[in-house]
Amino acid sequence: MRARCIGAILSVAALTTLAIPANAHAAAVACGGGVSTGRVAINGCISAQRGKEGRVYVREITAYVKARNTGPRAVNISYEAFFRVVSGGYWVKLGSGRTYVPAGGTLGPTEVGSSTRPCGPVKVEIRVHARAAGAAWSGWSTAGTAQCQT
């Protein structure tokens, strides 16, 4: 009886610990418009968190992918994320990956990659695309943010 009581208390403590966010200062994740590949809908998402390295203010820009499988079968998808500074920048690959999305299931937002940039009055943009096993690459889903909003 005493072991059950202790087990119940430890279970509640573990659930409480999981409910508290690990980083209260984490930036919000904003998603762009959706695109699709087969029966999988894809959204590219971005977050930007301000920080400081020495005397320089920086922005940690992170790309995410969000996927929804509307089909009756599970599917493997591959995805890639790219980053650029909007005014005259070129696209740089942040990362890629593969995952399994169950039938009728949702994935993410899942982090694909990140980049640390010095603060400046410029807008940055990410783009994400994906493909389901055997399908063509989707169109691009984009999302953007100002680098160092106050």
Side-chain angles (χ1 to χ4, degrees), residues 73-110:
R73 294 187 188 131
V75 66
N76 287 309
I77 63 166
S78 300
Y79 51 84
E80 297 178 323
F82 293 81
F83 162 87
R84 77 173 176 153
V85 175
V86 174
S87 58
Y90 54 91
W91 291 104
V92 176
K93 188 172 185 177
L94 283 180
S96 62
R98 293 178 56 163
T99 193
Y100 172 84
V101 184
T106 301
L107 162 78
T110 300

Side-chain angles (χ1 to χ4, degrees), residues 4-141:
R4 266 193 219 161
C5 184
I6 292 172
I9 291 170
L10 290 175
S11 296
V12 170
L15 289 174
T16 303
T17 304
L18 292 174
I20 298 171
N23 184 353
H25 301 289
V29 176
C31 295
V35 295
S36 65
T37 173
R39 293 190 183 273
V40 180
I42 304 295
N43 291 89
C45 306
I46 191 171
S47 71
Q49 187 171 357
R50 188 175 178 175
K52 193 172 182 182
E53 290 183 6
R55 294 184 178 192
V56 178
Y57 286 96
V58 295
R59 196 63 134 169
E60 179 74 20
I61 296 128
T62 307
Y64 300 85
V65 64
K66 189 174 178 181
R68 253 177 349 277
N69 181 0
T70 59
R73 294 187 188 131
V75 66
N76 287 309
I77 63 166
S78 300
Y79 51 84
E80 297 178 323
F82 293 81
F83 162 87
R84 77 173 176 153
V85 175
V86 174
S87 58
Y90 54 91
W91 291 104
V92 176
K93 188 172 185 177
L94 283 180
S96 62
R98 293 178 56 163
T99 193
Y100 172 84
V101 184
T106 301
L107 162 78
T110 300
E111 183 176 334
V112 181
S114 64
S115 177
T116 302
R117 308 283 302 173
C119 286
V122 296
K123 186 175 179 179
V124 295
E125 187 176 42
I126 61 100
R127 70 180 184 180
V128 173
H129 72 162
R131 76 173 166 197
W137 282 99
S138 69
W140 293 102
S141 175

